[in-house]
């Protein structure tokens, strides 16, 4: 059963949403992925959100752009945590999406990541699940150590070879 549901308002959101999926696959987290528009097909959306818990979903990652109501409406219906990803947009640069998603009323939070922050949405979902899954917590620890070592090795290269080594 899918533990994470990834939903996006349009297939145009796919390149960003794929970054979240890549993280879940890396950590071996079961997921489902849907394209559902809260605006263009509200009945299907409501059914999706109402039944998510019964499908075993523990976290929803919802991405949308422009008047981005999908994550907020997920949070209005689904009782578990919702992570929102604001899409970068052509007219307003994604600030429209960001404000739409992040400015939720008290009592109905959406954990909003950066504009186009697909990977961080995936990592945040993993962190939530890892609180009750020791195997996942171990993988998360390894991931954090890997990141640290990656930065350390770059700094070691900077110290030994100088900044020009990074410009080629
Ligand atoms: C939102 O409207 C979608 O999430 C998408 O980011 C945006 C534009 O959708 P399309 O017109 O590309 O289908 O609902």
């Amino acid at each position: 059963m899918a533990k994470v549901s990834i939903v996006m308002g349009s297939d145009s959101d796919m390149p960003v949403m794929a970054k979240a999926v890549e993280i879940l696959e890396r950590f071996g987290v079961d997921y489902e992925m849907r394209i559902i528009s809260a605006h263009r097909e509200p009945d299907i959306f409501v059914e999706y959100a109402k039944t998510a818990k019964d499908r075993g979903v523990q976290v929803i990652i919802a991405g949308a752009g422009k008047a981005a109501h999908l994550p907020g409406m997920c949070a209005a219906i689904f009782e578990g945590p919702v992570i929102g990803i604001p899409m970068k947009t052509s007219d307003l640069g994604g600030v429209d999406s960001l404000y739409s998603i992040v400015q939720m009323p008290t009592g109905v939070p959406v954990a909003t990541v950066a504009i186009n922050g697909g990977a961080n949405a995936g990592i945040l979902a993993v962190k939530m699940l890892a609180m009750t899954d020791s195997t996942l917590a171990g993988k998360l620890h390894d991931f954090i150590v890997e990141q640290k070592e990656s930065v350390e090795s770059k700094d070691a290269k900077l110290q030994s070879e100088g900044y020009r080594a990074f410009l080629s």
Side-chain angles (χ1 to χ4, degrees), residues 112-160:
T112 308
V113 296
I115 295 169
N116 280 359
N120 264 0
I123 294 166
L124 190 52
V126 167
K127 287 195 168 198
M128 289 171 178
L129 296 173
M131 292 181 74
T132 53
D133 182 333
S134 57
T135 305
L136 199 53
K139 290 180 186 176
L140 185 60
H141 176 75
D142 293 344
F143 173 80
I144 291 166
V145 170
E146 262 177 50
Q147 281 196 132
K148 172 176 166 274
E149 289 174 350
S150 168
V151 179
E152 283 176 339
S153 77
K154 285 172 191 166
D155 185 55
K157 179 178 170 179
L158 175 62
Q159 302 315 313
S160 63

Side-chain angles (χ1 to χ4, degrees), residues 157 161-168:
K157 179 178 170 179
E161 300 176 33
Y163 75 92
R164 290 187 182 86
F166 291 83
L167 300 176
S168 52

Side-chain angles (χ1 to χ4, degrees), residues 8-13 36-40 63-70 85-89 97:
M8 67 206 88
S10 169
D11 61 320
S12 62
D13 303 328
I36 300 177
S37 171
H39 293 137
R40 294 167 175 152
K66 301 183 178 177
H69 297 132
L70 182 70
I85 310 176
M87 296 297 140
K88 186 169 185 181
T89 55
S97 319

